[in-house]
Amino acid sequence: MSGMVSVTFRNYSVDEVIKTVVKAGLDGIEWGGDIHVPHGDIKKAAYTAAACSEAGLKVFSYGSYYRAGQEQDFIPVIETAAALGAPNIRIWAGVKGSVESVGDYAAITEEVITCADRASEYGMTVSFEYH
């Protein structure tokens, strides 16, 4: 299967991203939560899911931009991913680099486990953004 992340085309609308992916002959999309399908925008997530389905595309993942360690509520992320039909939610494991995060590892690990447990209740997995 082949696909792309929607943030590759940040300036495109959801419909333009879908048209571009179809034209490229790809199979699906990871939708970004920072621009195309924001956390909590269930209506937009449902629209995007339906538009992908109509175009014959799969939703591979939800690139949420959720960052463990910022005391955010993960439930709107899960609900958005569910409405999108995403089987996976991509998150950041913290807000700082590894060297600066040494003292925060336990708390971040605990938060990530909680996120993964909650996502699994919806049949989803959690993976990390990594650069």
Side-chain angles (χ1 to χ4, degrees):
M1 297 226 151
S2 59
M4 59 161 272
V5 295
S6 70
V7 297
T8 301
F9 296 103
R10 284 185 185 282
N11 296 325
Y12 285 26
S13 68
V14 164
D15 293 325
E16 290 170 322
V17 170
I18 290 170
K19 287 178 188 175
T20 301
V21 171
V22 167
K23 185 176 179 180
L26 302 174
D27 300 306
I29 303 169
E30 177 193 86
W31 288 99
D34 65 330
I35 187 110
H36 292 113
V37 186
H39 306 166
D41 194 340
I42 304 305
K43 187 175 179 179
K44 182 120 184 221
Y47 171 84
T48 303
C52 282
S53 180
E54 288 175 25
L57 297 173
K58 296 186 182 305
V59 174
F60 289 139
S61 184
Y62 180 48
S64 71
Y65 290 88
Y66 176 91
R67 291 179 178 260
Q70 286 190 319
E71 298 181 21
Q72 296 174 281
D73 185 0
F74 196 60
I75 297 302
V77 175
I78 293 173
E79 291 172 344
T80 306
L84 190 55
N88 180 70
I89 302 170
R90 184 173 44 79
I91 68 171
W92 286 83
V95 296
K96 302 180 270 186
S98 299
V99 173
E100 296 87 21
S101 298
V102 171
D104 301 328
Y105 284 168
I108 290 170
T109 300
E110 184 176 319
E111 182 177 347
V112 168
I113 290 169
T114 299
C115 291
D117 287 345
R118 294 304 302 267
S120 73
E121 294 171 8
Y122 289 77
M124 292 180 256
T125 58
V126 171
S127 61
F128 293 126
E129 170 103 10
Y130 177 77
H131 291 253

